Amino acid sequence: MDRVPVLKIGDVLLVSIQVDMSDQTAVALQEDLADRIVATGCHGVIIDITALDIVDSFIGRMLSTIAAISKVLDAETVVVGMRPAVAITLVELGLSLDGIRTALNVERGMDLIAASRGEDDGTADDQDGADAEPVAS
């Protein structure tokens, strides 16, 4: 059985799918990702599907399931590297990737996760505190 490597980059787990996804490989990936999210406390998951020529209903469901599992574990999922033909096929088939945000590439996916984390903890605009007003005590 093929395993999909899960890499940790800062506060994000990166998964680059380079193999054909069988049912067993997909289930193993879901379990591996859930274990890694808990073990690392990462708040983001980026799934790179650049190497996939086809995203069928099975892969679409697998991505949605991973996003749902990640969300329960307090991690946001972003799918990156979707080819135009894949996007067209998904739309034509009426497949939606519920709960999944998309970005053109890994860099933009990392930016998307960082921005959403900043919004969640209220530090999106003033992470360095430069604009913060002094508080009188």
Side-chain angles (χ1 to χ4, degrees):
M1 176 177 68
D2 292 322
R3 303 256 337 168
V4 178
V6 179
L7 306 173
K8 182 178 182 297
I9 301 174
D11 194 29
V12 174
L13 296 176
L14 174 63
V15 177
S16 182
I17 300 175
Q18 303 287 321
V19 298
D20 289 331
M21 295 295 288
S22 68
D23 290 358
Q24 291 179 331
T25 305
V27 170
L29 176 60
Q30 290 172 6
E31 293 173 359
D32 290 348
L33 261 175
D35 290 343
R36 291 290 303 270
I37 291 169
V38 171
T40 61
C42 285
H43 295 290
V45 174
I46 293 179
I47 301 174
D48 181 7
I49 61 169
T50 305
L52 297 181
D53 293 326
I54 297 171
V55 174
D56 58 13
S57 60
F58 170 73
I59 298 294
R61 278 194 319 273
M62 184 263 309
L63 294 172
S64 291
T65 301
I66 287 173
I69 292 169
S70 299
K71 185 169 186 159
V72 169
L73 297 173
D74 193 28
E76 180 178 359
T77 300
V78 178
V79 172
V80 303
M82 186 178 302
R83 295 179 181 196
V86 170
I88 291 168
T89 301
L90 286 173
V91 170
E92 288 177 350
L93 292 175
L95 297 174
S96 62
L97 301 177
D98 294 331
I100 299 176
R101 298 176 81 178
T102 58
L104 292 178
N105 55 44
V106 172
E107 183 178 4
R108 289 187 177 188
M110 301 267 299
D111 290 345
L112 197 59
I113 288 172
S116 72
R117 291 306 297 176
E119 291 169 6
D120 288 346
D121 65 13
T123 60
D125 294 329
D126 62 340
Q127 291 183 355
D128 61 357
D131 297 333
E133 294 288 326
V135 178
S137 54

